[in-house]
Amino acid sequence: MIYDKLPFDPKLYHLRFADNETAQLPTLSRKIGIFIYPGFEIVDLSGPLDAFYYADRTLELTGRSGEPGYEILVIAREAGPVRAKCGLEVLAPHRCCDVLSGLDTLVVSGGECAPELAGDAWVLDWIRAMSGRVRRLASICTGAFLLAAAGLLDNRRVTTHWMYSEQLAAAYPSLRVEPNRIFVRDGGVYTSGGITAGIDLALALIEEDLGRESPRMVAGLMVVFLRRPGGQAQYSPFLDADTSACRDIAELKSWILGNSGENLSVERLADKVGMSPRNFARRFHAETGTTPGRFVERARVEAARCRLEQTSQSLQAIAAICGFVSVERMRRAFQRHLDVGPHDYRDRFQSSFHAP
């Protein structure tokens, strides 16, 4: 990289060890190691790779090319092709046993097989050894299982993909798992949610290193949120809309999602499936694990969220179209389900989308 030819200012850079002592990093670039393995999620690698690439570009564009940029090392147990879950093979130039020092940050990717890989003592020993030699340690998605198995998340606040949160908490009871977070920082250890949350994590690391302007520009170039509003919960509630064992309930749920502005009272919904209101409410809860009213509210929040992202309609108009009786009722629903108000949701989306 061009940064290898630049004069090094030790004040810009240091390495933090596990015992909280510090040492100057003997390199002119911020070296980020990303550990992959057979079955890893390709976006866990490609998303952060692009974010760090564009961060280097922002240094050039803003006349800061004299500062350390990023050098990415793709690391696997053995050097060579590694097949991602999607079938794409990635060439990992570096093997674990050859990377024992010199990294600023180690990122462990996720994948469906990560909980099983957590039983590989050799991999855990390497991660454990590296944890004391890097300034930051991070995981994406289910990569948290590897950090947890290595004992590096004990008594820490952590997150992982929302689908695996309960499994992580059950396997490692000392962890304080926060399933609705995009990413969590606890000291020098970072864990992030499902798959694309690796981009959010990379932006946060870039902001720590380069200040606020660089990640804002990176988010604009990649057309992603600078700070994604809400948490993982906003992406998960409707993935099971057609999975009810009862076909009538499954079809009704899909209809609700497409008709949030309709009269969606229990009486009206019960009539659509030919049940009494009492029997319908009981059956709906048994099939979905939630009440008809709560599901309707979530459907309306989802519809309003899409309009906030895609239109310039007023909050009053969106509330009416999506079935809320008032903007205040919509605001309360957003807070309950997304932990952010509709006004802030739109502001954050637009600030990321329109960033230069």
Side-chain angles (χ1 to χ4, degrees):
M1 295 182 67
I2 61 171
Y3 306 103
D4 294 334
K5 302 176 182 177
L6 297 173
F8 178 55
D9 181 355
K11 294 180 181 178
L12 292 174
Y13 215 48
H14 64 274
L15 179 68
R16 182 172 298 146
F17 290 85
D19 60 1
N20 293 323
E21 293 181 356
T22 59
Q24 293 173 2
L25 189 67
T27 181
L28 301 182
S29 58
R30 295 178 171 92
K31 287 189 178 181
I32 310 289
I34 303 181
F35 175 65
I36 63 173
Y37 45 85
F40 76 99
E41 288 282 355
I42 191 68
V43 180
D44 287 5
L45 174 65
S46 61
L49 272 176
D50 267 355
F52 290 122
Y53 164 79
Y54 283 115
D56 278 355
R57 290 297 310 278
T58 67
L59 290 179
E60 298 173 12
L61 293 171
T62 56
R64 298 170 59 188
S65 57
E67 298 181 27
Y70 291 101
E71 179 181 350
I72 310 301
L73 279 63
V74 180
I75 307 167
R77 181 163 183 170
E78 297 295 333
V82 180
R83 185 180 293 273
K85 187 183 75 172
C86 65
L88 182 67
E89 286 194 341
V90 173
L91 182 64
H94 305 279
R95 57 179 184 168
C96 292
C97 60
D98 292 336
V99 182
L100 300 175
S101 62
L103 290 184
D104 170 59
T105 304
L106 175 63
V107 179
V108 177
S109 63
E112 290 179 353
C113 59
E116 288 72 37
L117 187 64
D120 188 323
W122 192 94
V123 169
L124 298 184
D125 284 344
W126 177 76
I127 293 174
R128 197 177 294 115
M130 291 301 297
S131 69
R133 301 169 183 171
V134 296
R135 180 168 64 98
R136 298 180 297 211
L137 181 66
S139 66
I140 301 172
C141 194
T142 53
F145 281 86
L146 298 177
L147 299 189
L152 302 173
L153 300 183
D154 292 351
N155 301 308
R156 292 185 182 273
R157 295 169 47 248
V158 303
T159 194
T160 187
H161 193 294
W162 60 270
M163 288 181 61
Y164 291 88
S165 293
E166 291 185 2
Q167 182 180 345
L168 182 66
Y172 305 97
S174 77
L175 276 56
R176 290 170 284 167
V177 180
E178 301 182 8
N180 189 34
R181 298 292 298 276
I182 298 297
F183 67 87
V184 171
R185 174 185 178 181
D186 191 323
V189 178
Y190 303 69
T191 53
S192 57
I195 309 177
T196 58
I199 298 174
D200 300 83
L201 175 62
L203 290 173
L205 299 180
I206 291 167
E207 181 170 347
E208 285 188 6
D209 295 336
L210 305 179
R212 295 182 179 180
E213 185 63 17
S214 287
R216 188 178 73 84
M217 294 179 67
V218 170
L221 290 167
M222 295 182 70
V223 196
V224 297
F225 281 110
L226 174 58
R227 291 181 180 81
R228 201 184 316 201
Q232 293 190 85
Q234 65 182 285
Y235 303 100
S236 62
F238 301 106
L239 299 181
D240 64 346
D242 61 353
T243 59
S244 300
C246 174
R247 183 177 181 84
D248 288 345
I249 296 295
E251 291 179 351
L252 179 66
K253 287 165 67 180
S254 296
W255 181 83
I256 291 171
L257 294 176
N259 296 274
S260 65
E262 297 269 347
N263 169 19
L264 299 179
S265 65
V266 171
E267 291 75 17
R268 169 85 188 284
L269 297 176
D271 184 64
K272 283 188 69 67
V273 292
M275 299 181 189
S276 69
R278 184 174 180 180
N279 185 47
F280 164 71
R282 186 187 309 116
R283 287 286 303 278
F284 191 93
H285 190 276
E287 291 288 333
T288 67
T290 190
T291 65
R294 187 164 178 81
F295 186 85
V296 166
E297 184 176 78
R298 290 160 72 191
R300 286 174 169 156
V301 167
E302 177 69 6
R305 183 179 71 81
C306 292
R307 288 185 176 273
L308 288 168
E309 293 176 1
Q310 300 169 12
T311 76
S312 58
Q313 292 173 314
S314 68
L315 297 187
Q316 289 81 0
I318 291 175
I321 292 170
C322 296
F324 292 104
V325 297
S326 67
V327 172
E328 176 60 21
R329 187 72 64 86
M330 181 170 71
R331 186 192 67 78
R332 292 177 183 175
F334 264 65
Q335 288 292 160
R336 276 192 292 272
H337 295 283
L338 303 183
D339 197 29
V340 65
H343 186 275
D344 288 342
Y345 186 98
R346 169 172 273 172
D347 280 352
R348 295 187 199 182
F349 177 85
Q350 292 182 339
S351 65
S352 290
F353 186 82
H354 295 296

